């Protein structure tokens, strides 16, 4: 275990949730680390005392864009601060393509609704064909959408965009994004990524993976609050992407309120229409700084260690693991099933009797530990699960 991680693992001062819960739903909504809650409290207190007068909150929002850019190897001007992932993907679906009937949008089976409905919306609106690449069960019983199938569908004529979660919320499959990005770039197809189930836990590089658009909410692996998200738009595409909403912040002279000039900003700030969720975004900044200080490589190694240990334990108790783990397909999400027990009853009993938070998604038990969880917590979880 590397030093920066050691400081946080099991540290109740830094992660107050550790005093109350064995919490394993970071794929749902994470508890706030102390530094994140402190940053949010500070903005609330400052606002209570002096409104905006004594700080530089809107100028400082640049630090949040820069921190988000740093996580994904983008530049600050390619980032816009939004409210949630769905807003980012809707922006792409509505604003990135001049859709014609018969154009194709390709997604994977089992995507979270935030990466489904913005595309379904285009079917009725523009006659777009929404192609969902099916999931298969492989020889080991794990569920995944094969890379070859995605590549095959992406390569068919009239495909305009491929949109994928880097990690699928209901299986934990991590997609190999680089070959998909490469194919898309070669064929002039746009590539959009929902990064909410990976960013903060796993590495992502928009340049190396040739990603054109990305959307990510803050409340999961980034350890931020709900309602603070961001999107990335590749520099060359910004001026070709229509904003979803427009307002005072969208235009170049955004402080010349009465001097109307509808000239959109040339960077991704054109996608921010007006007043921001200041409390949420400063919480997200503190969270990204915390993660940056530890380093994503160390975090992902620790998550791999915890999830490997969990898998070994649940398999030994007779559960069947559905999450792919080979190569780079593993993630912080582990889904498994019991051949006999009721999954909802297990999750309910865990919460009620053991102050242990795990969830059921798509009929499977889902456990998603973060780096600060202890090995003992994983052992306790395995012990508390009913055997077979
Ligand atoms: C893959 C994925 N995308 C997005 C979200 C959340 O979407 P939003 O930020 O729009 O609420 C989730 C939450 O469960 C998710 O699993």
């Amino acid at each position: 275990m590397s030093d920066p991680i050691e400081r946080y693992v099991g540290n109740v001062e830094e992660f107050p949730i550790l005093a109350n819960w064995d919490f394993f739903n970071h794929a749902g909504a994470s508890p706030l680390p102390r530094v994140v809650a402190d940053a949010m409290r500070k903005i609330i207190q400052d606002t209570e005392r002096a409104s905006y007068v004594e700080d530089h909150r809107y100028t400082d929002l640049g630090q949040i864009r820069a921190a988000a850019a740093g996580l994904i190897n983008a530049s600050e001007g390619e980032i816009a601060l939004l409210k949630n992932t769905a807003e980012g993907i809707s922006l792409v679906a509505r604003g990135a393509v001049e859709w014609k009937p018969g154009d194709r949008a390709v997604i994977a089976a089992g995507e979270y609704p935030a990466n489904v409905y913005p595309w379904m919306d285009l079917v009725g609106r523009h006659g777009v064909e929404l192609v969902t690449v099916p999931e298969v069960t492989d020889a080991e019983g794990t569920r995944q959408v094969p890379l070859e199938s995605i590549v095959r569908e992406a390569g068919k004529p009239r495909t305009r965009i491929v949109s994928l979660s880097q990690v699928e919320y209901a299986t934990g499959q991590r997609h190999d994004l680089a070959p998909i990005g490469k194919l898309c770039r070669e064929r002039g197809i746009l590539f959009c990524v929902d990064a909410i189930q990976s960013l903060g836990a796993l590495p992502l590089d928009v340049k190396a993976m040739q990603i054109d658009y990305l959307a990510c909410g803050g409340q999961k692996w980034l350890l931020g609050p709900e309602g603070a998200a961001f999107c990335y738009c590749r520099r060359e595409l910004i001026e070709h992407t229509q904003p979803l909403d427009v307002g005072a912040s969208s235009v170049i002279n955004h402080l010349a309120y009465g001097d109307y000039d509808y000239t959109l900003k040339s960077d991704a700030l054109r996608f921010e229409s007006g007043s921001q969720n200041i409390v949420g975004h400063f919480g997200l900044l503190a969270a990204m700084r915390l993660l940056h200080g530890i380093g994503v490589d160390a975090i992902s190694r620790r998550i791999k260690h915890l999830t490997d240990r969990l898998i070994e334990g649940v398999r030994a108790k007779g559960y069947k693991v559905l999450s792919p783990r080979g190569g780079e397909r593993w993630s912080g999400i582990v889904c498994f099933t019991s051949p006999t027990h009721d999954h909802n009853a297990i999750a309910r009993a865990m919460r009620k009797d053991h102050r242990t938070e795990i969830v059921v998604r798509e009929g499977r038990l889902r456990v998603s530990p973060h780096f600060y969880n202890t090995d003992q917590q994983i052992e306790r979880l395995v012990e508390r699960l009913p055997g077979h």
Side-chain angles (χ1 to χ4, degrees), residues 170-206:
T171 60
Q173 175 186 3
R174 178 170 21 152
H175 291 288
D176 187 2
L177 299 181
I180 303 169
K182 181 166 181 291
L183 173 103
C184 287
R185 192 65 57 85
E186 282 166 4
R187 308 260 179 120
I189 298 164
L190 295 172
F191 187 30
C192 172
V193 171
D194 174 345
I196 197 171
Q197 289 298 4
S198 52
L199 222 56
L202 296 166
L204 185 150
D205 182 322
V206 291

Side-chain angles (χ1 to χ4, degrees), residues 27-28 84-87 112 114 165 167 169 194 196-197 217 219-220:
N84 56 35
T85 319
E87 187 184 10
Y112 186 79
S165 295
V167 169
Y169 84 104
D194 174 345
I196 197 171
Q197 289 298 4
Q219 74 272 27
K220 300 184 193 289

Side-chain angles (χ1 to χ4, degrees), residues 9 17 128 143-144 204 212 231 233 265 280 299 375:
V9 172
I17 184 113
V128 168
R143 309 266 308 160
Q144 57 189 301
L204 185 150
D212 295 312
C231 75
C233 175
K265 287 174 180 161
I299 291 173
D375 289 54

Side-chain angles (χ1 to χ4, degrees), residues 29-227:
S30 289
L32 299 180
R34 182 189 52 78
V35 286
V36 176
D38 281 350
M40 295 169 76
R41 275 190 283 268
K42 177 164 188 326
I43 286 283
I44 291 171
Q45 281 161 358
D46 290 352
T47 312
E48 185 181 38
R49 203 187 59 249
S51 185
Y52 59 88
V53 179
E54 294 175 14
D55 60 37
H56 308 97
R57 52 189 61 192
Y58 273 87
T59 326
D60 290 349
L61 286 177
Q63 297 172 18
I64 308 172
R65 296 185 201 98
L71 272 178
I72 61 172
N73 192 24
S75 58
E76 189 182 323
E78 295 175 308
I79 304 291
L81 303 179
L82 305 178
K83 63 177 185 288
N84 56 35
T85 319
E87 187 184 10
I89 297 175
S90 298
L91 161 68
V92 182
R94 299 254 180 120
V97 178
E98 279 187 32
W99 294 102
K100 304 214 172 41
D103 283 346
R104 302 167 89 241
V106 174
I107 61 172
E111 287 282 342
Y112 186 79
N115 189 33
V116 179
Y117 295 138
W119 310 111
M120 283 177 88
D121 178 59
L122 301 172
V123 174
R125 204 185 274 269
H126 297 290
V128 168
E129 185 190 349
L130 176 58
V131 178
T132 305
V133 185
E135 215 174 58
V136 298
T137 305
D138 66 15
E140 296 122 54
T142 61
R143 309 266 308 160
Q144 57 189 301
V145 180
L147 173 64
E148 314 78 67
S149 312
I150 298 172
V151 165
R152 191 175 335 108
E153 284 302 337
K156 289 187 180 164
R158 304 287 308 265
T159 302
R160 305 294 306 278
I161 196 159
V162 175
S163 188
L164 286 181
S165 295
Q166 185 181 21
V167 169
E168 296 292 346
Y169 84 104
T171 60
Q173 175 186 3
R174 178 170 21 152
H175 291 288
D176 187 2
L177 299 181
I180 303 169
K182 181 166 181 291
L183 173 103
C184 287
R185 192 65 57 85
E186 282 166 4
R187 308 260 179 120
I189 298 164
L190 295 172
F191 187 30
C192 172
V193 171
D194 174 345
I196 197 171
Q197 289 298 4
S198 52
L199 222 56
L202 296 166
L204 185 150
D205 182 322
V206 291
K207 292 201 175 69
M209 295 168 171
Q210 304 192 60
I211 295 168
D212 295 312
Y213 296 95
L214 174 148
C216 185
Q219 74 272 27
K220 300 184 193 289
W221 303 92
L222 288 176
L223 298 171
E226 294 192 47

